[in-house]
């Protein structure tokens, strides 16, 4: 009594759900608009900072802006830490 159900299970498991993630917008470079916005931001907030504080703040801002954050969101993220 052989039937087609006697064969070993050759079906593959159901596909696992893939994460719906956004492709990274980071290309490692900032647009001219982002650079201008960051310069304007640094002129505004950098008045009361030492040179090393300015550099640190600017570097943190740049890293976040490369990931797609706006100036306001990046600044808020840095200042809450």
């Amino acid at each position: 009594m052989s039937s087609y159900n006697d064969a070993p299970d050759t079906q593959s498991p159901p596909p696992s759900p893939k994460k719906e993630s956004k492709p990274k917008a980071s290309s490692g470079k900032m647009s001219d608009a982002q650079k201008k916005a960051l310069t304007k931001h640094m002129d505004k907030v950098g008045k009361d900072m030492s040179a090393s504080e300015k550099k640190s703040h600017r570097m943190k801002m740049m890293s976040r802006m490369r990931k797609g954050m706006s100036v306001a969101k990046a600044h808020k993220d840095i200042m809450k830490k």
Side-chain angles (χ1 to χ4, degrees), residues 2-58:
S2 177
S3 69
Y4 64 92
N5 286 336
D6 290 342
D9 188 14
T10 57
Q11 291 181 343
S12 61
S16 60
K18 293 183 179 179
K19 289 184 179 178
E20 296 291 329
S21 62
K22 298 180 200 173
K24 288 190 176 181
S26 174
S27 63
K29 296 182 181 180
M30 293 173 61
S31 69
D32 289 338
Q34 285 177 312
K35 290 177 188 176
K36 286 180 185 178
L38 181 57
T39 301
K40 184 178 176 183
H41 171 76
M42 290 307 297
D43 290 341
K44 188 170 112 178
V45 300
K47 293 176 183 172
D48 298 329
M49 294 181 181
S50 68
S52 61
E53 287 174 327
K54 279 184 192 178
K55 183 177 180 180
S56 175
H57 186 76
R58 186 177 187 87

